[in-house]
């Protein structure tokens, strides 16, 4: 399974399958060293990868870290970065196996590659959603970029628990925004979705709107689908054993597009203007 | 086996050991997009990692690629980079499993993480050299940065052949310069070395001196040690089956330091000023 899911599933002859994912963070784009603690930057560089392994319901194992340090102050930044990485690595049982340390006249760039293993039966892909499946999200959505994008907790434990106790048919982590990332599941699964406006768990943080919950990047919560038959049991829980909320927000439907399920039962398109973060270059 | 060898040897419960290595290349440091073909930059980003797997006598399997593209012209650069990566990947049987594509206002940064497997008995480490072992290098040394640093051929095939037919006690790829990289073997093996000046295979390219052969970075040849008993057979070959030259350049000795073995049999230190590329930052 190559490019396109949260992590790649790699199968080498005579080996059980492994997961691999990689993310690169750049100063001024994913963090801002003028105000952000380099320890939290290191933490985030690993955390975003943990979130990808979570989205496959995997168990993280080994990471490697590459950095391009600014020449000025680079040594101090390196020490802090690695402290932040190591702390989170320990928390999630990840070994830091190596890396590559460079310096240059440019801004800080950090790339982490994380290996993992599928848990239980197999990795959960984006492509397994079927019409009738119920769509869930963990936690609360929106406004993360203003607050906890450096400190969010990757949903490794939650994903494994869900995978163990429910038939999770598709899963993704919300890094580009709910609509955008749910869109990836729907595209890979060749389905559409009908969402209930009132079911979206909009963050209670001040100033966060439904639009934020739909489009803000870097929530790093899980969006996943469960066959209808199993979904009632999960919807009734309200919270996972870790204390993280879980909410049923809608249903997978046949056809294309993301719609609001109106009270009268009709479907109106979720506005096309509402798209998540896009990587732009010419 | 953590940080410190060419690649990390990772051992996850119930799995056979795997190799992992990562390298980050930055525009203006490891290449120069003003004059260098982005296809060759992509090639190099994978090739330096292949060289690390070669230094463990490993077989490369799967790579992931992260890039930060300059916003201006980024799309064209991305296409060319990936063409260069894919061509070399195909040549060496590597699958590109995924990656992370970003854009920013900074220069091009590319990080490749490469997985591999040990071949034959086990990976060859830096730490296995013993006094009396003979020191070998492949190919010719020096001046590479001026010519073939973008087009060098990683010594995967040569390393595997050597590992299969000889007892290779320690091995490294020459990325920072012969003296510096041999120094890593000696440091990890707690030994010294006596080299024969005339045996160093100085590149015949115009203007390349012995000093270049000792200190130029990015030769990406192999430096390795073989127990004396096996060494004669290898030294007599002159060339490996691939056509690449192999030369015995000296002997591992007890104690510390790298020396010239003078004709009269005395040892004089290889000048301390002669050190390879250092990663500098404050």
């Amino acid at each position: 399974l190559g490019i396109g899911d949260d992590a790649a599933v790699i199968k080498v002859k005579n080996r059980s399958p492994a997961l691999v994912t990689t993310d690169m963070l750049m100063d001024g784009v994913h963090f801002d060293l003028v105000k952000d603690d380099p320890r939290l930057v290191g933490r985030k560089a690993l955390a975003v990868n943990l979130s990808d392994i979570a989205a496959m319901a995997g168990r993280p194992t080994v990471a490697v870290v590459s950095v391009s340090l600014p020449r000025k102050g680079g040594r101090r930044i390196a020490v802090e970065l690695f402290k932040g990485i190591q702390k989170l690595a320990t928390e999630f049982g990840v070994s830091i196996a190596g890396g590559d340390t460079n310096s240059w006249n440019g801004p800080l760039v950090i790339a982490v590659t994380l290996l993992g293993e599928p848990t239980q039966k197999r990795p959960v892909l984006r492509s397994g959603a079927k019409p009738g499946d119920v769509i869930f999200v963990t936690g609360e959505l929106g406004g993360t970029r203003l607050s906890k994008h450096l400190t969010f907790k990757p949903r490794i434990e939650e994903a494994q628990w869900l995978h163990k106790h429910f038939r999770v048919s598709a899963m993704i982590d919300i890094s580009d925004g709910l609509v955008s990332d749910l869109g990836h599941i729907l595209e890979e699964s060749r389905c559409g979705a009908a969402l209930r406006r009132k079911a979206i768990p909009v963050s209670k943080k001040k100033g966060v709107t439904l639009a934020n919950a739909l489009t803000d990047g870097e929530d790093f919560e899980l969006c996943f689908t469960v066959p209808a038959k199993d979904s009632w049991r999960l919807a009734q829980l309200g919270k996972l054993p870790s204390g993280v909320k879980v909410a049923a927000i809608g249903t997978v439907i046949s056809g294309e597009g993301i719609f609001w399920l109106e009270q009268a039962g009709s479907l109106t398109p979720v506005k096309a203007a509402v798209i998540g973060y896009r990587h732009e270059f010419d």
Side-chain angles (χ1 to χ4, degrees), chain A:
Chain A
L1 269 172
I3 296 170
D5 218 294
D6 297 282
V9 181
I10 56 181
K11 181 77 190 76
V12 173
K13 193 175 38 132
N14 303 328
R15 283 176 176 279
S16 48
L19 306 174
V20 60
T21 184
T22 189
D23 276 291
M24 182 178 272
L25 306 187
M26 299 101 78
D27 190 10
V29 179
H30 302 94
F31 58 88
D32 179 1
L33 272 190
V34 172
K35 58 181 181 59
D36 293 335
D37 180 348
R39 215 176 287 203
L40 293 182
V41 172
R43 184 192 187 284
K44 179 174 182 177
L46 178 58
V48 294
N49 282 286
L50 286 166
S51 188
D52 284 324
I53 295 293
M56 311 289 280
R59 189 177 72 83
T61 54
V62 170
V64 291
V65 182
S66 285
V67 289
S68 294
L69 298 163
R71 233 172 272 279
K72 192 171 159 54
R75 186 174 299 274
R76 186 190 62 85
I77 293 169
V79 169
E80 296 296 309
L81 279 177
F82 282 95
K83 277 185 190 161
I85 293 169
Q86 191 55 62
K87 184 156 182 280
L88 193 66
T90 303
E91 197 177 318
F92 284 90
V94 172
S95 301
I96 307 297
D100 184 31
T101 306
N102 302 279
S103 59
W104 71 333
N105 294 318
L108 175 64
V109 178
I110 178 166
V112 172
T113 301
L114 179 62
L115 302 179
E117 300 186 306
T119 48
Q120 314 302 329
K121 319 126 209 182
R122 58 185 143 183
V124 179
L125 306 182
R126 295 177 178 177
S127 52
K130 299 255 182 308
D133 288 1
V134 174
I135 303 165
F136 288 86
V137 294
T138 59
E140 297 183 341
L141 305 181
T144 309
R145 194 60 211 258
L146 299 170
S147 54
K148 67 181 177 100
H149 75 106
L150 293 173
T151 56
F152 70 91
K153 185 161 186 192
R155 300 306 188 199
I156 292 280
E157 180 190 340
E158 290 76 11
Q160 290 183 12
W161 187 88
L162 288 164
H163 191 40
K164 186 169 178 185
H165 294 94
F166 293 86
R167 280 192 295 155
V168 179
S169 51
M171 187 153 57
I172 195 168
D173 68 319
I174 304 175
S175 54
D176 292 347
L178 174 61
V179 170
S180 176
D181 289 313
L182 172 59
H184 293 312
I185 286 183
L186 299 174
E187 196 178 334
E188 295 292 322
S189 302
R190 298 163 185 277
C191 297
L195 304 183
R196 288 178 303 120
R197 242 188 225 101
K198 290 197 173 160
I200 308 291
V202 181
S203 166
K204 289 174 187 65
K205 280 192 291 283
K206 204 181 160 210
V208 178
T209 65
L210 177 62
N212 290 121
L214 296 177
T215 62
D216 281 3
E218 310 216 326
D219 278 320
F220 297 110
E221 295 292 351
L222 297 171
C223 175
F224 59 99
T225 58
V226 171
K229 199 181 148 203
D230 293 22
S231 70
W232 302 105
R233 195 161 47 94
L234 180 56
Q236 279 174 338
L237 281 181
K239 279 188 180 182
L240 300 177
S242 68
V244 170
K245 285 200 243 180
V246 63
I249 61 168
T251 308
V252 178
I253 60 176
S254 58
E256 259 182 57
I258 304 181
F259 301 88
W260 292 123
L261 176 61
E262 305 293 349
Q263 294 227 318
S266 64
L267 295 177
T268 57
V270 171
K271 281 204 198 91
V274 170
I275 55 166
Y277 177 76
R278 299 249 167 239
H279 306 286
E280 274 161 26
F281 51 87
D282 63 18

